[in-house]
Amino acid sequence: MAFGGNLGDSLFVNAIAASPYLPQQFGYADFVPSQSYYALASTVGCFNGLPQGNVDNSIFDCLVSKDTKTLQNASAYVSSNSRYGTVAFLPVTDGSLIQELPSQQLLTKRVNGRRMLSQNNANEGPFFTPQNIVTEQDFVSFLRNTFPLFTEDDISHVLLYYPSSNESVSTDMPSYATSGNTGATALNVSTFGSGQQQRADNVYAETTFVCPSYWLAEAFTNDGRVAYRYQYSVIGAQHGSELTAYFGPAMPNQGPDFSKAFMVIWGRFITTNDPSIPADIAAGSDGDASAVSSNAFNASTDPLPNQPNAASQWPPYTLAAPYQLNLNQSGGVPFQTNPYPGLNHDLKNITEFSDPGLRNDFTLVNAYTWEGGRGMRCDFWRSVGKIVPE
């Protein structure tokens, strides 16, 4: 996106966007980033609250004169008093390096590079969302806090796109991973929660990580550009949990066959421009390399029927055929674990699965209809870009 997408291939040809982070991105001089700037200046003694004409030296010169540790502590203090799930100092639209809201520039497909491999995890939101949302009123309060420019009509639209019961939800209700294309969806249940809590977790996930990964893929679908998409769905699939699968060392819930396949996917995209991998690697040591991908598509209604070993015949993502690969596993032995060990959070322990018995389960799915119409919800978030500046 840099410089309006006018750099072409001068910096890179292929790009990988793993859970691309797109918080609300205001103009550099807008109210929100300006307040964070003045709060930082005030914390280190560079702003007394008076109009700048009454300040002896410029605020910026004063900040430059401060030592690094003082600025770091002040930044942490200001961010810790920001909205839950975000920080005070975020990317801004400056009109030069970043010329437009990402959601709008990506819509016009003005990007640098030729190929994109974009990805999201199944559960991006829980770590960034307050874990005390029980009633629909709690959910509405979360929306008001997260999207300060929303009117009551805007909130009503979110309730329409993210339907749920308005009843309180017991914290003892079962939580489980959804299949993505049948039965319950991420709108109301996941490994981490259910009901109103999951509703909030999913809103944050889709606005901040998931939809940006969709928009990136869509931006690379013209002028000879090519995009590929996948979702990391290994239970629990929280934000960042996939890193150990392709960088190593793998976590207990990431089988050796899965980790090898994941590494080869990245490697093949980098070296051959195509993330498709050999069928035997996709199947794993205990799999059937000739097996047909499971019930991801209906051949009578979808553009392409199921193919053997989805990961070995990975089609590009297009608007007419919005395929993504769902990277998952089956089998294994259940165990309880802390989803973010060593970090301070309010998340409960979850059930994951480890060897023996883990097997690769890679399927080709429709990204637009996935999880109860995720593509449609991403279209909605793009449509409200003026008040949710992403």
Side-chain angles (χ1 to χ4, degrees), residues 234 250-260 329 353 355 358 360:
V234 172
M251 298 298 286
N253 67 327
Q254 298 163 335
D257 288 339
F258 183 90
S259 186
K260 179 178 180 179
Q329 296 176 133
F353 295 83
D355 265 336
L358 290 177
N360 290 351

Side-chain angles (χ1 to χ4, degrees), residues 117-131:
L117 178 62
S118 71
Q119 167 263 337
N120 65 268
N121 287 4
N123 296 302
E124 300 277 13
F127 184 72
F128 304 92
T129 309
Q131 295 296 297

Side-chain angles (χ1 to χ4, degrees), residues 218-235:
E218 292 170 4
F220 282 78
T221 56
N222 73 331
D223 295 337
R225 297 187 181 95
V226 180
Y228 300 90
R229 260 199 57 77
Y230 68 90
Q231 176 171 298
Y232 173 78
S233 297
V234 172
I235 300 173

Side-chain angles (χ1 to χ4, degrees), residues 122 178 184-190 198-199 202 206 371 374 377:
T178 59
T185 72
L187 286 168
N188 297 125
V189 66
S190 75
Q198 173 60 21
R199 211 176 178 188
N202 193 44
E206 292 187 348
E371 293 291 6
R374 179 162 278 167
R377 296 193 295 276

Side-chain angles (χ1 to χ4, degrees), residues 62-82:
C62 178
L63 290 171
V64 170
S65 72
K66 301 297 181 180
D67 65 88
T68 299
K69 188 172 183 179
T70 297
L71 293 174
Q72 288 176 340
N73 289 336
S75 175
Y77 172 78
V78 174
S79 285
S80 67
N81 287 280
S82 299

